[in-house]
Structure formats: C-alpha cells, structure tokens
Amino acid sequence: MQFNFLISKCMSVNENGMTILNGTPQRNPCLDELITTMGDASAKAQNLKQVITSPSRFYQTDQKLYIKSEGKQCLGILKIGKKNLFHRDLSGLVREIQPLCVLDFYVHESVQRRGIGKELFEEMLRCETIMPEKLAYDRPSPKLLGFLKKHYHLSNYISQNNNFVIFSQYFENRQQNSNQKLASQTSYYQTIVTPSKMEQLGSLMQQMTISSTKSKNQTQQQIKSQAPWATDQKSQSNMYQTTTGLMSAQIQKKI
Ligand code: ACO
C-alpha cells in the first residue's frame, strides 16, 4: 500500500522494515492514516462488515501492532491482544482461558505469497516469545488457515461458537498443570464446567449483568456483543474478575 510520505517519518522502523506499536504510541496524522488505510484494506480483504483495526480501536488498548514497511509502502500488519475465552472440547467440557490472540493479519495483495506474512508472524513470535500453537486466532480466513497449516502444521481444532480457533496443541503440556490446579482449587484462569451446567452459568451471567452498576453497563454490552464470552482483557478486568469470582463461588456452591 503506497503512501505519500516516508513511513519511517511517522514511526520508528528497524533495519528489517519492522515496527512494533503498542496502544499508546505518539499519535500523528500520518500514523493515523496508515492504521486507518491498512485496517480498511484488511477488512475488505476478509469481507468483514466491521473494521478490526483503526486508530480508535487500537489506541489506549493493550494490543500490539506489528507493521512491515519499505520506504513509502506499507506491506502488511499484524495485530495481537489478549482475550478471555471459553473453549468447549469434544466431551463438552468448557475451559476458561486467556490466550494471546491474532486479531488482524493482512499483507497487501500486491505482495502476498512472498513470505511477508511469515516474516511478520515470526517477528511477533520472537518478540512475544510464544509458539504459534499457543495463540488463539480470531475468525481465521481460509488464507490464514492455509498459512498456519503450511508453515506450522497447525490444522486440528474444534469449532467454537465464538469463532476463535484454538489448535489442539494449545492444550498439550498443560494437562498436568491443569490437573494439579483443579485438584487444589477452582482457578480464575482455567475453570472447567460440565455441559449440563452451562445453562446455569448462562443464567448466572445474565443475573449478574442485570444487577451490576450503571458504570459497568457499557463493558457488559461489549461482552454480550462478543458472544459467547470472548472479552478484552484490559477493559474487562475489574468487572471480569468480579464476575469470574462470583461464578467460581456459585459453581462451587451449585455444581
Ligand atoms: N490463497 C490461499 N492460501 C494463501 C493465499 C491465497 N491467496 N495467500 C497466502 N496463502 C497461504 C498459503 O498457505 C501460502 O503458501 P503457498 O503460496 O505455498 O500456497 C502461504 O500463506 C504463504 O505464506 P506467506 O507468503 O508468508 O503469506 P502472505 O504474505 O501471503 O500472508 C496472509 C498471509 C496474511 C494470510 C495474507 O494472505 C493475507 O493478507 N490475506 C488476506 C487477509 C486475510 O485473510 N487475513 C487473515 C485474516 S484472519 C485474522 O486476521 C485472525
């Protein structure tokens, strides 16, 4: 994507053409234009009705944006952030997890399939010190699924209502830890719920939503709109911990 300014003039770019922005960069009009244009192009490429990456959806969040550029050209973007998710396995058990997620990933059409996506992705893996299978993927497109299969042999997952993809390898090496945790306590971070109790949890969530204070209403509406129960970590943390704490207490009481 061609801009009429040198990209290194509006943000710092390393020798590999990479930039890493967190949600609190020094704003300037060029940077806003770049984020807006790339976010729009990404949404268009994925046929999304709603843009995932824009200045207002990025600034003041705990998300990170990886950007690959060359002179006046922006070649691609990759946005990540943590979410609270509920994941249901084949036996119906539901786990509550808080993975780092790939939220938006876009390489300009003119340079796709030339390794730019892999370069961006590898930079992110290196900086976040994480393996691809330990990430969650928000509504991955067929191209992203192909990318993950080709480069990282990831293909096995159970479809979820919330459209996040978590590969089966995500849960490997965690079994022992989670068994130990479960034996000792019901954890905030990995609560296991039997399917028959899901309805109870749903109504508990609703009750808590209704009885919460006005100031929390906006946050809760966001939770509802990201059905079912995929939430931003930062913006939800206070309310979320209260809710989860209550849930854990109620689960222990009722289940
Ligand atoms: N059709 C099918 N597979 C593709 C395509 C395509 N048009 N483009 C890339 N891939 C996959 C293939 O596995 C390909 O390997 P191959 O060429 O041997 O078949 C591999 O990706 C190529 O790897 P890279 O060159 O490193 O990837 P690229 O630079 O093309 O970036 C990306 C991959 C980001 C998915 C890019 O294709 C793109 O921007 N697509 C459009 C937007 C999109 O779908 N983004 C993901 C949205 S989901 C989310 O963000 C959570």
Side-chain angles (χ1 to χ4, degrees):
M1 181 76 69
Q2 184 81 19
F3 290 88
N4 60 9
F5 50 84
L6 273 177
I7 287 166
S8 57
K9 292 271 187 229
C10 64
M11 59 194 187
S12 72
V13 180
N14 77 12
E15 65 281 7
N16 301 319
M18 283 292 172
T19 301
I20 307 171
L21 296 179
N22 59 28
T24 51
Q26 286 247 292
R27 278 185 86 155
N28 63 64
C30 291
L31 184 54
D32 279 14
E33 184 185 333
L34 183 139
I35 294 174
T36 305
T37 309
M38 294 304 282
D40 286 353
S42 178
K44 202 171 163 202
Q46 297 174 61
N47 281 321
L48 299 176
K49 286 185 195 134
Q50 220 186 3
V51 169
I52 307 290
T53 303
S54 67
S56 63
R57 288 181 148 242
F58 176 62
Y59 293 128
Q60 311 309 327
T61 66
D62 58 0
Q63 298 173 351
K64 273 194 204 168
L65 192 59
Y66 286 76
I67 301 171
K68 170 82 179 171
S69 65
E70 217 173 70
K72 293 182 176 180
Q73 270 196 315
C74 185
L75 305 179
I77 58 165
L78 170 58
K79 189 171 80 158
I80 55 164
K82 281 206 166 181
K83 297 270 177 188
N84 299 305
L85 302 176
F86 285 85
H87 179 272
R88 189 196 295 260
D89 72 15
L90 279 181
S91 69
L93 286 180
V94 176
R95 282 186 171 84
E96 185 188 355
I97 53 174
Q98 299 182 319
L100 187 63
C101 304
V102 174
L103 302 173
D104 201 6
F105 189 16
Y106 170 69
V107 169
H108 190 261
E109 282 74 8
S110 63
V111 287
Q112 280 179 18
R113 288 186 135 157
R114 293 191 199 171
I116 308 254
K118 175 117 190 283
E119 219 183 303
L120 266 167
F121 199 78
E122 291 280 322
E123 179 75 0
M124 179 274 293
L125 295 178
R126 198 179 58 75
C127 294
E128 306 300 324
T129 53
I130 194 164
M131 305 292 282
E133 62 270 26
K134 299 297 178 188
L135 291 158
Y137 299 85
D138 189 2
R139 289 172 201 266
S141 64
K143 289 183 184 180
L144 179 54
L145 289 173
F147 172 93
L148 293 168
K149 189 171 181 186
K150 176 186 166 135
H151 295 303
Y152 304 105
H153 311 291
L154 293 173
S155 57
N156 218 355
Y157 65 91
I158 300 160
S159 295
Q160 303 291 310
N161 287 342
N162 59 21
N163 292 317
F164 277 82
V165 163
I166 293 161
F167 291 99
S168 55
Q169 292 93 326
Y170 178 91
F171 298 102
E172 286 171 10
N173 305 324
R174 288 171 66 109
Q175 209 53 51
Q176 207 184 341
N177 283 348
S178 71
N179 285 346
Q180 281 167 358
K181 261 191 198 165
L182 279 166
S184 61
Q185 61 175 345
T186 306
S187 157
Y188 270 167
Y189 301 103
Q190 188 157 308
T191 306
I192 295 190
V193 188
T194 58
S196 63
K197 302 301 171 190
M198 282 300 290
E199 275 181 31
Q200 288 180 25
L201 276 174
S203 65
L204 276 173
M205 286 287 283
Q206 258 181 350
Q207 282 169 25
M208 283 179 253
T209 303
I210 292 161
S211 63
S212 292
T213 60
K214 237 183 184 178
S215 64
K216 289 175 183 168
N217 277 352
Q218 196 187 354
T219 316
Q220 286 157 349
Q221 272 162 12
Q222 283 170 11
I223 283 189
K224 282 182 170 178
S225 68
Q226 296 177 22
W229 310 348
T231 62
D232 268 337
Q233 200 168 45
K234 193 179 176 190
S235 60
Q236 310 290 333
S237 62
N238 287 342
M239 175 271 177
Y240 179 76
Q241 282 179 12
T242 312
T243 308
T244 315
L246 280 167
M247 274 172 64
S248 296
Q250 299 271 19
I251 292 162
Q252 279 170 347
K253 238 198 274 171
K254 294 199 172 194
I255 297 175

